[in-house]
Amino acid sequence: MTSQATRPGGRLIATEPQTPAWHAALEEALLEVRRERTEPPVFVSMALSSPCILLGAYQTALSAELAAWRQKGIDVRRRRTGGPAILIGPDQFSFSLFLPRPSSCLEQVKLADETMIAALKELGFPVEATLRGPEVRATKVGWLTSMADERTLLIQGFVYVRNDEGIRRLLNEETTTLWE
């Protein structure tokens, strides 16, 4: 099940756990819509039903490595953004953030931080703004990578939740909230 709704400030899409392929298809669909017209921000929570290794857009992997990972039940996907390979699993809450492309780097950081904070708060995370950027219980919200086209800035990020039982319980609840 996926819950979503629109408010003036943007859209939050929260899903029940899905496969990495399902999330990749959702991202592609959102990017395709945004190629046609400018849209408000969209924050997509990425609850995965299985672990996944995400390769950066320009990264290569050996066939033997791919086969070994898949043999262990770990899906391997390529993301649209660059950066190193990452393993996404139960120790992370991952998200994709789609923003209208800002005119400056400063505007980009400000809009990204404000949008992440609003969406994470609405999801129930104890997030706060700091000089280092958004933090959840003194752990910085990480931006894995970003990419931009003419209209859209895509940011993929995460929050580590390894030893936080409160956040683990939160992630197991169905989310239907929205943000402004």
Side-chain angles (χ1 to χ4, degrees), residues 9-10 25 70 77 82 91 100 126 154-155 180:
R70 288 185 174 127
R77 295 279 157 195
D91 291 344
L154 167 61
I155 295 172
E180 293 185 39

Coordinates of all heavy atoms in Angstrom, one line a residue, residues 9-10 25 70 77 82 91 100 126 154-155 180:
G9 N 2.6 22.8 -0.1 CA 4.1 22.8 0.0 C 4.7 21.6 -0.7 O 5.9 21.6 -0.9
G10 N 3.9 20.6 -1.0 CA 4.5 19.4 -1.7 C 3.8 18.2 -1.4 O 2.6 18.2 -0.9
A25 N 11.2 2.1 -10.3 CA 10.2 2.4 -11.3 C 9.4 3.6 -10.9 O 9.1 4.5 -11.7 CB 9.2 1.2 -11.5
R70 N 23.8 -11.5 -5.5 CA 22.5 -12.0 -5.8 C 22.3 -13.4 -5.2 O 21.2 -13.7 -4.8 CB 22.2 -12.0 -7.3 CG 22.1 -10.6 -7.8 CD 21.7 -10.6 -9.3 NE 21.4 -9.2 -9.7 CZ 22.0 -8.6 -10.7 NH1 22.8 -9.2 -11.5 NH2 21.6 -7.3 -11.0
R77 N 20.9 -2.8 -7.9 CA 20.3 -1.9 -8.8 C 21.3 -0.7 -9.1 O 22.2 -0.5 -8.3 CB 19.0 -1.3 -8.1 CG 18.0 -2.2 -7.9 CD 17.2 -2.4 -9.2 NE 16.5 -3.7 -9.1 CZ 16.0 -4.3 -10.1 NH1 16.0 -3.8 -11.3 NH2 15.4 -5.5 -10.0
G82 N 25.1 9.6 -9.0 CA 26.5 9.1 -9.0 C 26.8 8.6 -7.6 O 25.9 8.3 -6.8
D91 N 19.1 -1.1 8.7 CA 19.7 -0.1 9.6 C 19.5 1.3 9.0 O 20.1 2.2 9.6 CB 21.2 -0.4 9.7 CG 21.4 -1.6 10.6 OD1 20.5 -2.1 11.2 OD2 22.5 -2.2 10.5
P100 N 12.0 21.3 -7.3 CA 12.1 22.1 -8.5 C 13.6 22.6 -8.5 O 14.1 22.9 -7.5 CB 11.2 23.3 -8.3 CG 10.3 22.9 -7.1 CD 11.0 21.8 -6.4
P126 N 12.3 12.6 15.1 CA 12.6 13.7 16.0 C 13.8 14.5 15.3 O 14.9 14.5 15.8 CB 13.1 13.1 17.3 CG 13.6 11.7 16.8 CD 12.8 11.3 15.7
L154 N 17.1 15.9 -7.9 CA 16.9 14.6 -7.2 C 17.9 14.4 -6.2 O 19.1 14.4 -6.5 CB 16.8 13.4 -8.2 CG 16.8 12.0 -7.6 CD1 15.6 11.8 -6.7 CD2 16.9 11.0 -8.6
I155 N 17.5 14.3 -4.9 CA 18.4 14.0 -3.8 C 18.0 12.7 -3.2 O 16.9 12.4 -3.0 CB 18.4 15.1 -2.8 CG1 18.9 16.4 -3.3 CG2 19.2 14.7 -1.5 CD1 18.7 17.6 -2.4
E180 N 3.3 20.3 5.0 CA 3.0 21.5 4.2 C 4.3 22.2 3.8 O 5.2 22.2 4.5 CB 2.2 22.5 5.1 CG 0.8 21.9 5.4 CD 0.0 22.9 6.2 OE1 0.0 24.1 5.9 OE2 -0.7 22.4 7.1

